[in-house]
């Protein structure tokens, strides 16, 4: 099944308390050298049939309407070919 | 007046809001999120809680429930709409109000009696207060940080669309200490603290929240 991935990230100027909490935990665990963490969301949409430009346009619309809030978040859309082609190693 | 209170899956404060509406002198009408009509109400309250489990973003899924289509249309025609806490989040997600609400800057759930100043008394929900009046009502939220871009914040302040501001400590990192805003027309109000929990001496920090519910009558007959 082809997969379309929507990545949603808080806008750079918006405070990200989740990212801040992770950033605070890293050095406590001995992971030094990280200066910032931003936490976002990833949506994997399985679509029926081929991923045409029309399908991608609809996904953009979904992302702008429901999956992200344009006031506080940015999003990107891409097709995940690797996921679609890789055999499931766990099965 | 007939005041509708919407119950979404996950609403918590709908019954408190109905009670506050009655104590404020109105008839409370229970509305369901799946309703396709507003049953002839004169105003609508979107109550606090965790509608749709706050999945995706607070208020994001509720905004597309059937009743919200009706609420958005009625709000566009001037019907008074008050969103409290989760209701405020739903109104922002609906684009009926500007800005958005994000997780508290200190990352903790805040629950306290909160001092507020009422900075706009020209809305149907605040007409019972005096300009700049300080009140104490309950605040309880995990994602109550009001954010907007600088241009929007300047416009809100310039046009008097800031309805209420936090006095003293900012409980959630809201930009410019904004606790509540209204739309350009002034009929839609979002407020993060909970006036419906401050309408009786027995169960709260006092009755300072009652004005949000008595204001409707004052606004109607003004």
């Amino acid at each position: 099944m082809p997969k379309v991935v929507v990545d949603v990230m808080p806008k750079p100027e918006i405070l990200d308390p989740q990212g801040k909490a992770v950033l605070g935990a890293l050095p406590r665990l001995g992971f030094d050298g990280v200066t910032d963490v931003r936490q976002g969301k990833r949506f994997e949409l399985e679509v029926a049939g081929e991923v045409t430009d029309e399908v991608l346009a609809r996904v953009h619309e979904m992302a702008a309407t429901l999956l992200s809030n344009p006031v506080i978040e940015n999003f990107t859309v891409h097709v995940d070919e690797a996921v679609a082609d890789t055999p499931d190693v766990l099965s | 007046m007939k005041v509708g209170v919407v119950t979404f899956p996950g609403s918590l404060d709908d019954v408190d809001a109905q009670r506050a509406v009655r104590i404020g002198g109105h008839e409370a009408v229970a509305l369901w999120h799946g309703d396709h009509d507003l049953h002839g109400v004169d105003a609508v309250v979107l109550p606090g809680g965790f509608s749709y489990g706050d999945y995706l973003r607070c208020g994001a899924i509720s905004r597309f429930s059937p009743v919200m289509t009706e609420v958005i249309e009625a709000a566009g025609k001037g019907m008074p709409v008050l969103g409290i806490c989760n209701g405020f989040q739903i109104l922002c997600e609906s684009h009926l109000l500007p800005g958005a609400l994000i997780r508290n800057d200190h990352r903790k759930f805040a629950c306290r009696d909160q001092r507020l100043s009422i900075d706009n008394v020209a809305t149907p929900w605040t007409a019972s207060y005096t300009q700049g009046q300080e009140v104490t009502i309950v605040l309880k939220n995990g994602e109550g940080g009001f954010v907007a871009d600088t241009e929007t914040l300047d416009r809100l302040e310039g046009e008097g669309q800031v309805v209420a501001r936090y006095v003293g400590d900012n409980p959630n990192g809201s930009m410019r200490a904004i606790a509540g805003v209204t739309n350009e027309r002034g009929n839609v109000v979002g407020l993060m603290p909970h006036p419906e929990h401050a309408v009786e001496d027995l169960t709260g920090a006092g009755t300072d929240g009652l004005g949000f519910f008595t204001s409707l009558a004052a606004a109607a007959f003004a």
Side-chain angles (χ1 to χ4, degrees):
Chain A
M1 276 292 207
K3 231 171 227 182
V4 183
V5 176
V6 180
D7 284 310
V8 177
M9 289 299 294
K11 286 184 178 175
E13 67 273 22
I14 297 286
L15 174 75
D16 174 18
Q18 295 185 110
K20 275 223 150 45
V22 175
L23 179 67
L26 286 173
R28 288 202 300 274
L29 298 173
F31 298 110
D32 295 320
V34 176
T35 54
D36 197 20
V37 176
R38 307 281 292 170
Q39 182 174 332
K41 294 187 192 98
R42 173 184 165 108
F43 299 86
E44 296 184 353
L45 312 181
E46 275 186 26
V47 298
E50 284 200 23
V51 182
T52 59
D53 286 350
E54 201 178 320
V55 169
L56 283 178
R58 287 295 282 167
V59 172
H60 265 97
E61 210 179 321
M62 288 175 215
T65 309
L66 179 65
L67 304 182
S68 77
N69 178 346
V71 176
I72 50 171
E73 294 166 330
N74 295 322
F75 68 85
T76 59
V77 175
H78 71 273
V79 182
D80 196 337
E81 307 283 358
V83 174
D85 297 339
T86 310
D88 190 351
V89 291
L90 292 178
S91 60
Chain B
M1 294 176 78
K2 287 171 76 172
V3 181
V5 178
V6 180
T7 299
F8 297 93
S11 292
L12 285 180
D13 299 322
D14 45 340
V15 177
D16 299 62
Q18 288 172 22
R19 185 175 169 80
V21 161
R22 285 194 294 271
I23 294 172
H26 308 285
E27 180 189 343
V29 178
L31 299 175
W32 180 239
H33 70 108
D35 283 350
H36 286 275
D37 74 274
L38 296 179
H39 301 282
V41 298
D42 305 300
V44 169
V45 175
L46 305 181
F50 300 86
S51 59
Y52 290 87
D54 275 352
Y55 288 124
L56 189 57
R57 296 178 306 278
C58 300
I61 298 178
S62 321
R63 173 257 175 275
F64 292 100
S65 62
V67 79
M68 283 307 297
T69 306
E70 308 300 325
V71 170
I72 290 166
E73 194 190 327
K77 291 178 183 163
M79 178 183 276
V81 178
L82 173 66
I84 302 166
C85 198
N86 194 222
F88 187 7
Q89 294 160 341
I90 294 168
L91 291 175
C92 287
E93 284 283 345
S94 304
H95 307 301
L96 285 174
L97 292 176
L101 293 140
I102 66 166
R103 201 165 291 225
N104 296 347
D105 59 349
H106 47 73
R107 306 191 289 264
K108 292 185 284 290
F109 194 92
C111 185
R112 58 159 84 158
D113 294 337
Q114 177 67 45
R115 297 286 295 163
L116 296 175
S117 67
I118 306 295
D119 289 358
N120 178 342
V121 295
T123 82
W125 303 100
T126 52
S128 291
Y129 296 100
T130 54
Q131 185 71 26
Q133 184 178 345
E134 289 198 7
V135 298
T136 300
I137 67 175
V138 185
L139 172 131
K140 48 170 187 144
N141 64 67
E143 302 200 22
F146 183 80
V147 295
D149 57 42
T150 306
E151 189 187 327
T152 304
L153 292 168
D154 289 345
R155 196 180 67 241
L156 288 175
E157 290 186 327
E159 301 294 325
Q161 285 177 245
V162 176
V163 168
R165 242 184 252 267
Y166 299 115
V167 174
D169 286 346
N170 187 332
N172 44 31
S174 290
M175 289 179 167
R176 305 194 191 177
I178 290 172
V181 295
T182 186
N183 59 345
E184 281 175 29
R185 190 169 180 164
N187 61 307
V188 179
V189 169
L191 186 74
M192 193 39 62
H194 288 261
E196 80 281 18
H197 294 327
V199 294
E200 288 172 297
D201 279 320
L202 181 65
T203 54
T207 58
D208 283 356
L210 191 55
F212 276 87
F213 303 95
T214 56
S215 288
L216 277 177
F221 299 113

